[in-house]
Amino acid sequence: MTGQPGEALWSPLAHMPSVLGRRTVVVEGDGAYVVTADGRRLLDATSGLWHANVGHARREIADAAAAQMARLETYQSFGSFSNDRALALADRLVALGPVDDAKVILTSGGSDSVDVAAKLARRHWVEEGRPDKRHILSRRDSYHGLHGYGTSLTGPDIYREGYGPGTLVPETAVFSSTDIDDLRRVIDEIGPERIAAVITEPVIGSGGVIAPPPGYFETMQELARQHELLLIADEVITGFGRLGRWFGSERFGLEPDLLVFAKGVTSGYAALGGVLVAPRIWRRFYDGPDAPLYRHGVTYSGHATACAVAEANLDILEREGLVERAGRLERVLADALEPLRDRPDVAEIRAGVGLMAAVAPAATIPNDAVVAEALERGVILRAIRENFIQISPPFIVTDEEVDRIATVLAESIDAVAARG
Ligand code: PLP
């Protein structure tokens, strides 16, 4: 080890020998832009990891955090303790969310929330006297974070390599992301009496920006109803506006029993996530002296500063009409990418559902080389699965900036193709 500054940081999902000495170190943000340690100003066409929906470094949110910390950094929410910010945010989230008469469990992020929802789904059936209903089904291309449960629910097998045979959490199974008949097959194979829940992203994000094919969710809901399976919507990316509605479930008529959120609730200004829980599940836990107790919690459940930050973020989304703006930009982004469609060096474009898109260059052009080239040209893109490139700018991006993203992407594909 040479002892370079920062060498101690073992980055997530990174091949460390390739990363060391080649990091893009971000030191400042400014709306849709970030600035690096070596002074480059980059247009953030991915909103970081799909999080910076209101843009970077907004003073109003920083002020809300500072004011809260100076008053009370946080107080825990275990047992009969709580704090005023967690209570206020919970009421606001329930009023905003698509789950009627919900309760909310607050966590510190998306993976954390997936664990809470999956465990609660199993717990629900135990309380219902049907303890065999334990399997949780997920889609082949989904991403549900990488805590214990998420490692097993996230679709691609690579996330489970190296932990020994089987999956980390047993009683999980995947089905096709696009052919809903495959869900029928998996239900028949396992037996509905052994299945607790199905989890789905409204639009699959990091797995390749996959919108549901026509009829896919209708059949999923029908099967869930018919076989008494709980429905878990993972809205970590789609929650809080990315699809032009507050929640993706609204856009597709999904009626989840559990709705998982994170990222957009604070636009990444603090680590916060949570789960909206439908009455069908929470009622038993609220009812009478013999009510059972759901033993899940983390020190930062309902962290007061994170909750104050979330409220400031929601204020901005509402005041500036950013959810509607994201909805309008959906077309702008899809139109900007349209000229790429006929190029022989572009294999596929997925756009037109929300302010999110993915472009796959031809198989001979590696997505990570295109992303590196775009970075040189001042635009942050992200290589995701199966040679796709993620585009998901902040909601405050202008039409001209969307055009620039598409132009730089096209030029970067050209440049990599020309190098051969
Ligand atoms: N679920 C989805 C759909 C996600 O996209 C992510 C993260 O990208 C997660 C869960 C995990 O969230 P976190 O990284 O905050 O743990």
Side-chain angles (χ1 to χ4, degrees):
M1 280 290 133
T2 53
Q4 297 285 325
E7 225 170 67
L9 181 66
W10 189 346
S11 302
L13 289 177
H15 178 249
M16 290 313 295
S18 315
V19 161
L20 289 178
R22 292 194 204 93
R23 283 184 162 121
T24 301
V25 180
V26 174
V27 294
E28 269 176 46
D30 174 19
Y33 294 82
V34 293
V35 178
T36 62
D38 55 0
R40 285 180 300 152
R41 185 174 157 84
L42 304 171
L43 176 54
D44 184 5
T46 62
S47 305
L49 286 179
W50 313 89
H51 71 266
N53 293 350
V54 300
H56 297 285
R58 299 195 58 154
R59 167 59 56 188
E60 179 178 340
I61 304 182
D63 287 346
Q68 181 59 41
M69 280 185 185
R71 191 161 66 83
L72 172 71
E73 75 293 349
T74 192
Y75 209 83
Q76 54 115 334
S77 279
F78 279 37
S80 57
F81 276 101
S82 191
N83 66 72
D84 56 341
R85 304 318 300 243
L87 297 175
L89 179 66
D91 285 347
R92 189 161 173 187
L93 290 174
V94 165
L96 206 56
V99 181
D100 285 344
D101 196 20
K103 303 293 182 195
V104 61
I105 295 174
L106 294 173
T107 72
S108 44
S111 303
D112 215 4
S113 305
V114 167
D115 267 22
V116 168
K119 284 167 63 182
L120 187 51
R122 285 176 63 138
R123 184 68 197 275
H124 169 75
W125 290 114
V126 170
E127 294 301 329
E128 291 285 307
R130 302 174 70 182
D132 292 339
K133 280 174 89 61
R134 292 196 296 266
H135 279 75
I136 303 193
L137 314 183
S138 58
R139 293 165 75 193
R140 172 52 76 193
D141 299 282
S142 63
Y143 184 80
H144 298 298
L146 295 176
H147 279 12
Y149 240 117
T151 298
S152 293
L153 293 174
T154 289
D157 293 328
I158 46 165
Y159 294 103
R160 287 176 287 282
E161 277 172 9
Y163 304 120
T167 96
L168 213 53
V169 181
E171 297 166 321
T172 51
V174 294
F175 59 96
S176 166
S177 304
T178 49
D179 175 8
I180 197 63
D181 280 338
D182 194 46
L183 174 58
R184 227 185 285 274
R185 181 189 63 76
V186 174
I187 293 172
D188 283 349
E189 202 173 282
I190 297 171
E193 70 288 352
R194 297 173 60 219
I195 303 174
V198 179
I199 184 167
T200 185
E201 295 166 78
V203 172
I204 289 177
S206 300
V209 183
I210 303 173
Y216 186 95
F217 281 150
E218 287 80 351
T219 306
M220 180 186 283
Q221 288 207 133
E222 231 172 78
L223 290 170
R225 252 193 299 272
Q226 181 188 343
H227 296 297
E228 296 183 279
L229 319 179
L230 298 176
L231 188 63
I232 307 173
D234 181 344
E235 297 237 21
V236 168
I237 286 175
T238 54
F240 304 96
R242 180 64 61 188
L243 300 188
R245 307 281 181 91
W246 278 93
F247 293 89
S249 293
E250 295 164 19
R251 180 154 179 169
F252 297 113
L254 278 176
E255 292 172 12
D257 301 293
L258 295 154
L259 185 151
V260 173
F261 61 88
K263 302 184 193 277
V265 67
T266 61
S267 287
Y269 283 75
L272 178 75
V275 184
L276 293 176
V277 183
R280 170 185 182 184
I281 298 172
W282 64 253
R283 220 162 244 141
R284 187 182 291 278
F285 293 85
Y286 270 65
D287 187 21
D290 296 329
L293 201 156
Y294 180 41
R295 281 193 182 76
H296 185 94
V298 290
T299 301
Y300 302 135
S301 298
H303 189 281
T305 302
C307 292
V309 161
E311 288 222 67
N313 175 59
L314 296 177
D315 289 345
I316 290 176
L317 285 169
E318 284 173 357
R319 193 179 61 238
E320 298 183 4
L322 292 183
V323 175
E324 297 73 23
R325 185 183 170 96
R328 188 186 68 76
L329 286 169
E330 157 181 319
R331 204 56 270 145
V332 176
L333 176 58
D335 288 348
L337 295 173
E338 199 51 38
L340 277 76
R341 206 173 276 286
D342 297 329
R343 295 170 46 142
D345 51 6
V346 172
E348 192 175 343
I349 296 177
R350 295 175 181 162
V353 184
L355 185 53
M356 59 199 289
V359 174
T364 50
I365 303 172
N367 59 354
D368 50 358
V370 175
V371 167
E373 184 66 35
L375 194 61
E376 290 299 311
R377 293 162 188 261
V379 174
I380 299 177
L381 295 166
R382 180 169 173 243
I384 53 174
R385 294 183 60 233
E386 291 174 346
N387 214 35
F388 276 95
I389 295 165
Q390 170 190 333
I391 306 165
S392 53
F395 304 169
I396 52 153
V397 83
T398 63
D399 293 17
E400 292 70 31
E401 285 162 341
V402 171
D403 283 340
R404 180 168 166 229
I405 292 166
T407 304
V408 167
L409 173 58
E411 289 170 359
S412 302
I413 293 173
D414 284 341
V416 174
R419 281 203 299 270

